[in-house]
Amino acid sequence: MGRLLELKAQMVELDLSEFHYFDELLLDLKMTPKDLEVPLPRCFLRNWTEQQRLKHTIVSNILEKQRANQTTSSVPVLNLEEAVRLLQASERARQGRIRARFMTELVQSERDGRRHTWRPTHLSLDQAAIQIQKVWRGHVQRRIANRERTEEMIFLGMIPAEPPGPSPAQLQAQQVSAGLRLIQDQNEEEYRRAQLSVKQSVLRVEGTDMKETLQDQIRQWFLEYRDATGRFPDLPDEEDGGSAALFAQKTPEQVSAELSARETEREEKKKKKKKKEETEVKTRTRTRTRTRFRFFYSEFTTVSALSRRLTDVAQMFPAVSSLIFLQHTEFSEMCGVAVTTLR
């Protein structure tokens, strides 16, 4: 399978397309498109059939449960006219069935009466033989005509041909295949039972010894770690492999160095994350300040234009010019201080 995937990748690189056309190649090799079909192994087909059967069983059980849980549908309410029409149709159908049954019985009784009523004929032996031959030959010719017509229709392709029955060799091969499948199923079931029994026996017989051995190894590792570093270690986290990391072919110093390196890496990640958060906070603060400055600047521009208009008015009215000039100067100084602060 891996080799086929490699070949497919190479063909895609050569053709620059996911689809490949083998028309000319098939003509050169005198092959048909059917020859390119990859046959599926029988074991795959068999497993697929079993899976489909299992899925069908599961779906059937679910549907049955749903039908059981569903409440009975409410009967539709009919008005008087619809109810009368429904009753009339039912009654007419009942009368029609009774009449049809009566006519059938009448015709059958007449036919039986003619069959059982023997009437003597005045035919001679030769005439009777000729009559019997005529009926039999007509029956034979009708059978021959039907067979020939069927053969002609099959030859013209107007009706499908009847598949021939299996030969004795095919029947024997089918029986052998069925026997092999039965033996295979029995062996597989026996293997599963043996595997389960072996697992249970191992757990029952050697489970206690294995548990004690692992405990001794963990205890010895903790002691070696204490002798090497002067303190008892922490049990490795699940991300680091858990207790399985203790059974690696490493010394306590190597394990301690790895744990320290991982702890340092985690701290660096935390610092980077914290620094990133601080940068984001500063960026948001700077953006908010710039937005406020733009808003204040627009307001300041509007007020400045208004103050210029007031100055023009003051020039027109000298009596209030000193007051307007003083207020305009104070307001300009306040705006300048505010702009400097926001920057």
Side-chain angles (χ1 to χ4, degrees):
M1 183 61 71
R3 181 56 184 161
L4 290 177
L5 294 176
E6 292 179 359
L7 182 61
K8 171 67 177 178
Q10 294 177 2
M11 294 175 67
V12 170
E13 292 179 358
L14 293 175
D15 297 341
L16 300 178
S17 175
E18 292 288 341
F19 303 95
H20 311 288
Y21 303 95
F22 305 103
D23 301 341
E24 298 180 357
L25 185 61
L26 290 176
L27 289 176
D28 295 339
L29 298 177
K30 297 180 180 180
M31 299 173 65
T32 61
K34 189 176 181 180
D35 297 331
L36 296 178
E37 295 181 0
V38 180
L40 295 176
R42 294 182 179 178
C43 57
F44 290 171
L45 292 175
R46 185 182 175 191
N47 295 335
W48 181 79
T49 305
E50 293 178 356
Q51 293 176 1
Q52 290 295 112
R53 189 183 300 109
L54 180 61
K55 290 180 181 178
H56 180 71
T57 304
I58 295 173
V59 172
S60 300
N61 295 333
I62 294 174
L63 292 178
E64 289 179 359
K65 291 180 180 179
Q66 289 181 353
R67 293 194 195 97
N69 295 332
Q70 286 179 353
T71 58
T72 57
S73 59
S74 59
V75 180
V77 180
L78 301 177
N79 54 22
L80 181 60
E81 184 179 356
E82 293 178 351
V84 171
R85 190 181 297 111
L86 182 61
L87 291 175
Q88 288 178 353
S90 300
E91 181 62 22
R92 289 170 184 171
R94 187 185 67 84
Q95 293 178 3
R97 287 193 295 271
I98 293 175
R99 183 172 179 79
R101 190 182 303 110
F102 174 73
M103 294 301 296
T104 303
E105 292 176 356
L106 181 61
V107 172
Q108 187 68 25
S109 62
E110 291 178 357
R111 188 179 300 169
D112 293 341
R114 287 196 304 268
R115 183 181 301 171
H116 295 294
T117 303
W118 180 79
R119 290 177 298 177
T121 59
H122 302 284
L123 298 176
S124 62
L125 294 177
D126 295 337
Q127 292 176 349
I130 292 172
Q131 190 74 16
I132 293 172
Q133 289 176 1
K134 181 177 68 174
V135 174
W136 174 251
R137 287 176 180 175
H139 173 68
V140 171
Q141 289 299 325
R142 283 192 295 272
R143 290 182 59 184
I144 294 173
N146 290 332
R147 184 172 65 251
E148 290 179 354
R149 183 171 62 253
T150 303
E151 292 177 356
E152 184 178 2
M153 298 288 281
I154 292 173
F155 176 75
L156 295 176
M158 300 181 68
I159 59 175
E162 296 180 358
S167 61
Q170 292 178 347
L171 293 175
Q172 185 178 3
Q174 291 177 1
Q175 293 177 358
V176 172
S177 178
L180 291 176
R181 286 197 296 269
L182 181 60
I183 295 173
Q184 183 180 1
D185 293 339
Q186 293 176 356
N187 293 337
E188 185 175 1
E189 185 65 24
E190 184 178 357
Y191 170 74
R192 291 178 180 176
R193 289 197 300 267
Q195 189 177 13
L196 183 60
S197 62
V198 169
K199 183 178 180 180
Q200 292 177 354
S201 63
V202 168
L203 290 176
R204 185 176 58 257
V205 177
E206 301 181 3
T208 306
D209 297 338
M210 294 172 64
K211 183 178 179 180
E212 292 179 356
T213 303
L214 293 176
Q215 289 178 352
D216 293 339
Q217 292 181 4
I218 293 175
R219 192 179 298 110
Q220 182 65 26
W221 187 87
F222 271 89
L223 294 176
E224 292 178 358
Y225 190 96
R226 187 198 61 180
D227 296 339
T229 60
R231 63 182 183 86
F232 285 104
D234 297 330
L235 193 66
D237 297 335
E238 185 177 357
E239 298 177 356
D240 301 333
S243 60
L246 305 180
F247 300 98
Q249 300 297 329
K250 298 179 182 179
T251 61
E253 292 80 3
Q254 293 176 349
V255 176
S256 177
E258 289 183 0
L259 294 177
S260 301
R262 290 175 182 174
E263 188 67 24
T264 305
E265 185 178 357
R266 290 174 185 171
E267 292 179 357
E268 290 179 356
K269 288 182 179 179
K270 290 181 180 179
K271 290 180 180 179
K272 290 181 180 179
K273 185 177 180 181
K274 186 176 180 180
K275 186 176 180 181
K276 185 178 180 181
E277 291 177 354
E278 292 177 354
T279 305
E280 292 178 354
V281 170
K282 291 181 180 179
T283 304
R284 287 196 297 268
T285 305
R286 191 179 299 110
T287 304
R288 194 181 302 112
T289 304
R290 289 178 179 176
T291 305
R292 292 179 179 177
F293 173 74
R294 290 171 183 171
F295 174 75
F296 184 79
Y297 183 75
S298 61
E299 295 293 333
F300 173 72
T301 305
T302 305
V303 174
S304 299
L306 180 60
S307 63
R308 285 195 296 271
R309 293 293 301 274
L310 291 175
T311 303
D312 296 338
V313 172
Q315 292 177 0
M316 295 174 63
F317 300 96
V320 294
S321 60
S322 60
L323 179 60
I324 293 175
F325 178 76
L326 178 60
Q327 293 179 354
H328 175 66
T329 304
E330 293 178 355
F331 181 75
S332 300
E333 292 177 356
M334 291 172 60
C335 292
V337 172
V339 170
T340 305
T341 304
L342 289 176
R343 287 180 180 177

